[in-house]
Amino acid sequence: MQRIGSNRALNTVSAEPVEGEKTDGMNQWGRLGSFLSGKVGSAKPTIQEEELVAASASKSRYYANPFPLKPYVPERKTVVRKIDEDIFSFEQEHGFANVSVNIRMTVIRMEDGGLWVHAPIAPTDECVAMVKRLGEVKYIVLPTTGLEHKLFMAPFVRKFPGAQNFVAPGQWSWPVDLPLGFRVDGILQDNDSTTPWAKEIEQKVVSVPVGIGTCSEAAFFHKKSKTLLVTDAVIFIPPDAPEVVAAMRAEENKWQKSALMACFLGPPYVPSFEAIAGKVFVSPVVRTFIYERSVDEHLAWVRDIAAWNFNRIVPAHLDAPISAGPKDFLRAFDFLVNPDQNPLPAGDMRPLNAISKLLTISGLVPPRAADSV
């Protein structure tokens, strides 16, 4: 039976050592990363995380965010991690109020050495220097209508004016309908075999009107590495806080409370953490406000994704890569077939259920079955 969970085979690296970690230049995971990336016959020069950190060592982390989202100080650390020979993860802090999690951009080096960028993050000088060290950015992809990803797209695009920009259909965001503010070279289409990356990366797109707006997400399959990339479709909550929000580890249960609040938007009940952590999981917020209001469309999309032969998942939040395949992915969406499956802690769901009923009564969103209970 396949073990599901965080695939920590390669090291996470930032410009600063983790407190208590030996800094002998390269730890055991870094050495393993060097071994894995130095495969015989590689067409492109291998690049390690340390090289990206070195390229950005003197670069600024300044970024002025006009939205009330974390970090509230004008400085953002970027943590880079090598996931596979040609796949790199870039993480920054993201959150609100007492919630601190991570937001992830994933960069794939294609066969010609060009870069394909998924879900851009804040383009600080540090982040941009790391990306440029990897190669030339050819394609920048906004895979969702979600505001927290959309707000970084235009600033990132301005840093790479020579790249082609692609967006998920039905661009609209809530609670602020943020204009794109950049040139769009293409709209992501379901199973489109005409994209410039189609030979290496396949895509499946869902776009559904959900009341006052359209919710869209594109999933991607990097064939060479058998990696599934999603934005918000699924998550994997780790037992400890990601490195980019390592400060959450200093206080007992602080990370657990933050993760619970991010999922349920209400006061955290720490024992519930065990019910949602350590598995491929659909965020209750996404499930309540999107999937349960557009069951047929999202079930078809999920089943279509499960036709890909992937063995790892890289979402745009929380842990990655997740060691999981199509069966694990499908199991997370059992509630779309049977609402009694994938039960959520009743007490924690009270705030979400109350908000859901209010939005339904107001007519802003279509009803879901749970709102009539």
Side-chain angles (χ1 to χ4, degrees):
M1 183 174 180
Q2 183 184 22
R3 183 181 67 84
I4 305 173
S6 173
N7 185 352
R8 294 288 183 182
L10 299 173
N11 190 36
T12 301
V13 180
S14 69
E16 302 168 352
V18 178
E19 184 177 354
E21 182 180 36
K22 294 181 180 179
T23 54
D24 58 354
M26 186 176 290
N27 62 22
Q28 59 177 333
W29 295 123
R31 287 190 289 271
L32 179 58
S34 299
F35 172 77
L36 290 176
S37 63
K39 294 178 181 177
V40 177
S42 176
K44 300 181 289 294
T46 58
I47 296 179
Q48 300 304 324
E49 301 100 323
E50 290 82 4
E51 297 177 60
L52 305 185
V53 171
S56 65
S58 62
K59 301 299 182 180
S60 171
R61 293 175 175 175
Y62 176 82
Y63 188 82
N65 184 11
F67 289 87
L69 296 172
K70 284 187 172 181
Y72 295 135
V73 296
E75 181 176 281
R76 291 171 183 258
K77 179 173 74 171
T78 301
V79 172
V80 63
R81 183 174 178 211
K82 188 170 185 176
I83 291 177
D84 196 78
E85 182 177 355
D86 290 314
I87 304 179
F88 291 79
S89 164
F90 296 79
E91 297 179 28
Q92 294 174 351
E93 183 181 4
H94 172 70
F96 58 91
N98 293 326
V99 174
S100 287
V101 292
N102 59 336
I103 190 167
R104 176 178 296 106
M105 170 179 74
T106 304
V107 178
I108 296 179
R109 283 203 304 168
M110 305 187 72
E111 290 302 313
D112 64 358
L115 304 182
W116 182 90
V117 178
H118 177 270
I121 55 176
T124 63
D125 289 349
E126 177 186 51
C127 177
V128 169
M130 290 181 182
V131 173
K132 287 183 175 180
R133 177 63 184 85
L134 276 178
E136 177 189 358
V137 175
K138 287 194 171 183
Y139 313 109
I140 304 174
V141 174
L142 175 60
T144 178
T145 49
L147 178 64
E148 74 270 27
H149 303 285
K150 185 177 179 179
L151 66 88
F152 296 121
M153 183 72 174
F156 194 91
V157 163
R158 287 194 285 271
K159 297 291 185 178
F160 300 94
Q164 295 183 50
N165 311 309
F166 295 79
V167 302
Q171 281 300 319
W172 177 91
S173 54
W174 187 89
V176 179
D177 188 8
L178 187 70
L180 288 177
F182 58 88
R183 184 192 76 249
V184 175
D185 297 297
I187 306 296
L188 299 171
Q189 302 294 331
D190 190 39
N191 291 311
D192 188 355
S193 61
T194 66
T195 63
W197 56 77
K199 290 184 178 179
E200 300 176 48
I201 304 171
E202 296 180 356
Q203 65 192 46
K204 300 184 188 297
V205 180
V206 63
S207 184
V208 186
V210 182
I212 55 178
T214 297
C215 292
S216 302
E217 181 171 345
F220 298 91
F221 177 56
H222 184 236
K223 293 186 277 189
K224 180 181 176 181
S225 66
K226 295 187 176 182
T227 300
L228 170 65
L229 278 77
V230 297
T231 311
D232 298 313
V234 293
I235 54 176
F236 185 100
I237 302 174
D240 297 314
E243 185 193 336
V244 76
V245 289
M248 303 292 288
R249 304 171 187 171
E251 182 180 318
E252 185 179 6
N253 292 329
K254 191 172 184 178
W255 165 243
Q256 288 84 344
K257 292 176 181 178
S258 180
L260 286 163
M261 288 182 68
C263 285
F264 296 105
L265 303 183
Y269 178 62
V270 172
S272 296
F273 185 79
E274 297 299 324
I276 64 172
K279 62 182 178 181
V280 182
F281 178 66
V282 178
S283 166
V285 172
V286 178
R287 172 174 169 174
T288 300
F289 296 122
I290 301 176
Y291 293 159
E292 291 183 349
R293 302 175 193 277
S294 49
V295 171
D296 294 342
E297 296 90 344
H298 279 97
L299 181 59
W301 181 62
V302 166
R303 287 173 171 169
D304 210 14
I305 291 171
W308 284 329
N309 184 30
F310 56 89
N311 56 27
R312 65 157 73 100
I313 306 173
V314 179
H317 297 283
L318 297 163
D319 213 3
I322 307 166
S323 179
K327 290 183 179 179
D328 309 310
F329 183 77
L330 279 173
R331 192 174 299 117
F333 291 91
D334 281 346
F335 65 88
L336 291 177
V337 179
N338 182 350
D340 293 330
Q341 296 298 311
N342 313 113
L344 296 169
D348 297 86
M349 280 297 295
R350 287 193 187 103
L352 276 180
N353 285 333
I355 297 170
S356 177
K357 288 184 178 181
L358 180 62
L359 291 174
T360 301
I361 292 170
S362 68
L364 293 175
V365 296
R368 61 183 185 126
D371 291 332
S372 61
V373 177

